[in-house]
Amino acid sequence: MMAFDPSFEIDLPAELDRRTEGPVALRAFLGLPYQLRVQALRVMTFTASAALTRRDDMREASHYGVKRAARGYGLIADLLAGWNDYAGLHPDIIALCQDAMPHQAAVLTAIDRYRGEIDGVLRVMAAGDVPDAEQADRLMLTLYDPFHPAMLGFMAEMAAIGRTHRAVFEAAADGAQARALKSRERIDHIARTVRLISLNARVEAARAGEAGLAFGVIAREIKALSEETEAASAELAGSVDEIMTNFRAI
């Protein structure tokens, strides 16, 4: 029985999906380099544990941790390398990758190099052997250079591009808000005009006496419609403000 259970999240974030809000999807994607570094460190830690421990249960748990972290590493590495063929990826992420990824050959090379070392560890374990100290050292050296500096540069560049894309989103959202508010002003103007027409109609219906009763009913209905329109306009303004507040909180 294992002394500990090295279970941890390895799946890609669900927020990368095309049905997610654009800013949320971008934030999830920009977090992938950090997650890749975490999985890389986990592979290193569990490999060193497997190489150093003399306890069978610890070795078994370490092997399990290496395999699990390697799978998480592979999922992210595959996405970064094959983003253009990834089914269901959010269009805004694809747009960001079109800007960023053509310039990341050195990063992808570093990711592949570390993955090659991981595959070597996995082959040893698949054969029923234990990774030795030399293998753990090679993994650590590759993690230190070129993987670590390449990922730091990659994270900084992706964050900068992400800020640029976010600024575009904010400008589009501000434009949509301005158009919505102008629409509300037009709706309010129409509602006020309709209410004035309704008031005049009621006055004329009162002057007409019994002959104007039907016209008076219509005038009251027009007044009620005007009031509902004004209420809907107020709700529209509140909804736009709430959307913008939530957007800027993302």
Side-chain angles (χ1 to χ4, degrees), residues 93-186:
I93 295 176
I94 294 176
L96 183 145
C97 287
Q98 288 171 339
D99 288 343
M101 296 312 295
H103 314 294
Q104 302 303 326
V107 171
L108 296 178
T109 298
I111 292 172
D112 282 345
R113 182 171 167 185
Y114 191 70
R115 193 175 194 175
E117 296 296 336
I118 294 174
D119 289 342
V121 172
L122 293 175
R123 284 193 296 271
V124 168
M125 293 192 305
D129 295 327
V130 179
D132 55 24
E134 182 181 350
Q135 209 160 20
D137 286 346
R138 198 161 56 243
L139 196 65
M140 180 174 289
L141 288 172
T142 307
L143 179 68
Y144 179 74
D145 186 31
F147 180 84
H148 181 66
M151 292 306 299
L152 288 179
F154 182 50
M155 291 171 66
E157 183 170 344
M158 293 294 281
I161 294 174
R163 287 192 294 271
T164 300
H165 279 255
R166 181 176 177 82
V168 172
F169 286 136
E170 289 181 346
D174 288 341
Q177 182 186 33
R179 291 192 297 273
L181 293 177
K182 286 183 179 179
S183 296
R184 185 203 174 188
E185 290 174 0
R186 290 196 296 270

Side-chain angles (χ1 to χ4, degrees), residues 2-234:
M2 291 192 299
F4 64 97
D5 180 13
S7 296
F8 40 80
E9 184 62 43
I10 61 172
D11 294 326
L12 294 172
E15 292 82 1
L16 300 175
D17 189 85
R18 64 174 57 251
R19 292 166 293 186
T20 307
E21 292 292 332
V24 176
L26 279 179
R27 185 173 65 180
F29 184 79
L30 291 173
L32 290 182
Y34 172 77
Q35 293 182 32
L36 188 67
R37 291 178 64 204
V38 169
Q39 301 296 5
L41 287 169
R42 284 171 173 162
V43 171
M44 178 67 253
T45 301
F46 286 118
T47 299
S49 174
L52 295 173
T53 187
R54 296 182 180 181
R55 289 176 49 178
D56 291 339
D57 58 344
M58 290 292 290
R59 186 175 296 113
E60 179 185 353
S62 297
H63 284 192
Y64 177 75
V66 170
K67 292 175 183 177
R68 189 164 180 82
R71 183 173 182 274
Y73 184 97
L75 288 174
I76 299 173
D78 287 343
L79 174 57
L80 293 177
W83 57 269
N84 205 29
D85 299 320
Y86 189 83
L89 195 63
H90 196 284
D92 293 334
I93 295 176
I94 294 176
L96 183 145
C97 287
Q98 288 171 339
D99 288 343
M101 296 312 295
H103 314 294
Q104 302 303 326
V107 171
L108 296 178
T109 298
I111 292 172
D112 282 345
R113 182 171 167 185
Y114 191 70
R115 193 175 194 175
E117 296 296 336
I118 294 174
D119 289 342
V121 172
L122 293 175
R123 284 193 296 271
V124 168
M125 293 192 305
D129 295 327
V130 179
D132 55 24
E134 182 181 350
Q135 209 160 20
D137 286 346
R138 198 161 56 243
L139 196 65
M140 180 174 289
L141 288 172
T142 307
L143 179 68
Y144 179 74
D145 186 31
F147 180 84
H148 181 66
M151 292 306 299
L152 288 179
F154 182 50
M155 291 171 66
E157 183 170 344
M158 293 294 281
I161 294 174
R163 287 192 294 271
T164 300
H165 279 255
R166 181 176 177 82
V168 172
F169 286 136
E170 289 181 346
D174 288 341
Q177 182 186 33
R179 291 192 297 273
L181 293 177
K182 286 183 179 179
S183 296
R184 185 203 174 188
E185 290 174 0
R186 290 196 296 270
I187 292 172
D188 287 344
H189 176 72
I190 292 170
R192 288 192 296 269
T193 302
V194 169
R195 177 172 288 191
L196 182 59
I197 292 172
S198 170
L199 177 61
N200 291 335
R202 292 199 304 276
V203 171
E204 294 301 324
R207 288 177 180 173
E210 187 175 347
L213 290 178
F215 194 46
V217 171
I218 295 174
R220 286 193 297 273
E221 291 297 325
I222 292 175
K223 178 177 179 293
L225 177 62
S226 172
E227 291 172 348
E228 290 179 9
T229 302
E230 290 177 347
S233 175

